[in-house]
Amino acid sequence: DAGVIQSPRHEVTEMGQEVTLRCKPISGHNSLFWYRQTMMRGLELLIYFNNNVPIDDSGMPEDRFSAKMPNASFSTLKIQPSEPRDSAVYFCASKVSGANEQFFGPGTRLTVL
Amino acid sequence: QQPVQSPQAVILREGEDAVINCSSSKALYSVHWYRQKHGEAPVFLMILLKGGEQKGHDKISASFNEKKQQSSLYLTASQLSYSGTYFCGTEIPGTASKLTFGTGTRLQVTL
């Protein structure tokens, strides 16, 4: 199995630009999670989906962040407009609903200048 | 609220033991432990469900005291491959699948 796939792996952008991060979960997994990791705040859950439906988005920092899951094999996290404080590693994880283990993707390292 | 882990960092010589603690201010349904090596994604180690069970995975084991809202991860006879940052993820009753990760404990095993 290919595991969770994220793209791009690295993104450098300027403040004010739109950023789109992409995630392909493991086939057959119906729960998907977006996390943000920084030195200051650690690993934070932003939003998670079950069967393509957003279940809890209380971790989304503000309206500049949005996430979609149009089908079972694709999700996006969009930041518009981006700010330097959004710089972080963004992880996508997936699992089978009801199972314990979350499988993390390799992450996208975002740098906003 | 984010669970608190202690210690924040620890350096061990190969073969030594370590204990990592995770403490929550909220009642817990389960505790998950993950390890993240530098520059890599977190990897699942084990889950502890309420009931005070203790689990083992090779020479890594864990316990969960639901009354104290605490979990501990025990690393016995540490190996170089144990180096990394360990996170506990806590699940609160009624919030299925939602994990709140702790502050992390950086473990370095040296020769």
Side-chain angles (χ1 to χ4, degrees), chain B residues 61-78:
Chain B
S61 62
S63 63
F64 177 29
N65 187 324
E66 62 190 270
K67 285 186 179 178
K68 292 186 177 180
Q69 297 165 188
Q70 292 176 345
S71 178
S72 294
L73 187 71
Y74 307 94
L75 299 102
T76 306
S78 59

Side-chain angles (χ1 to χ4, degrees), chain B:
Chain B
Q1 238 172 343
Q2 193 175 31
V4 177
Q5 289 184 230
S6 63
Q8 287 186 321
V10 59
I11 299 175
L12 298 174
R13 290 193 182 276
E14 198 174 24
E16 291 182 336
D17 302 340
V19 180
I20 299 171
N21 300 301
C22 173
S23 181
S24 173
S25 60
K26 298 186 177 182
L28 301 175
Y29 174 74
S30 68
V31 179
H32 303 226
W33 285 96
Y34 283 75
R35 177 172 62 204
Q36 183 178 27
K37 293 185 179 285
H38 183 67
E40 300 181 7
V43 174
F44 177 79
L45 292 176
M46 66 186 77
I47 178 176
L48 288 301
L49 298 172
K50 70 176 187 177
E53 66 177 37
Q54 187 155 349
K55 271 197 170 181
H57 176 70
D58 195 10
K59 293 181 181 176
I60 300 175
S61 62
S63 63
F64 177 29
N65 187 324
E66 62 190 270
K67 285 186 179 178
K68 292 186 177 180
Q69 297 165 188
Q70 292 176 345
S71 178
S72 294
L73 187 71
Y74 307 94
L75 299 102
T76 306
S78 59
Q79 306 167 17
L80 294 176
S81 61
Y82 287 2
S83 294
T85 301
Y86 290 78
F87 293 97
C88 64
T90 55
E91 182 182 357
I92 296 170
T95 61
S97 294
K98 180 176 179 178
L99 295 182
T100 302
F101 282 94
T103 47
T105 296
R106 181 172 292 183
L107 177 75
Q108 183 180 354
V109 181
T110 64
L111 289 171

Side-chain angles (χ1 to χ4, degrees), chain A residues 5 16 24 26-28 49 54 57 64 66 70 81 84 87 96 106-107 109:
Chain A
I5 298 172
K24 176 178 169 55
I26 292 173
S27 177
F49 295 84
D57 65 354
R64 297 185 298 105
S66 62
S87 297
V96 175
R109 181 173 295 276

Side-chain angles (χ1 to χ4, degrees), chain A residues 45-87:
Chain A
L45 176 66
L46 300 177
I47 185 172
Y48 80 92
F49 295 84
N50 206 38
N51 293 320
N52 312 338
V53 176
I55 301 300
D56 188 327
D57 65 354
S58 59
M60 296 286 263
E62 46 197 279
D63 292 345
R64 297 185 298 105
F65 286 69
S66 62
K68 293 182 179 180
M69 192 162 187
N71 57 62
S73 58
F74 184 65
S75 177
T76 59
L77 178 68
K78 185 176 293 187
I79 308 172
Q80 165 66 11
S82 58
E83 296 182 3
R85 59 193 169 118
D86 301 331
S87 297

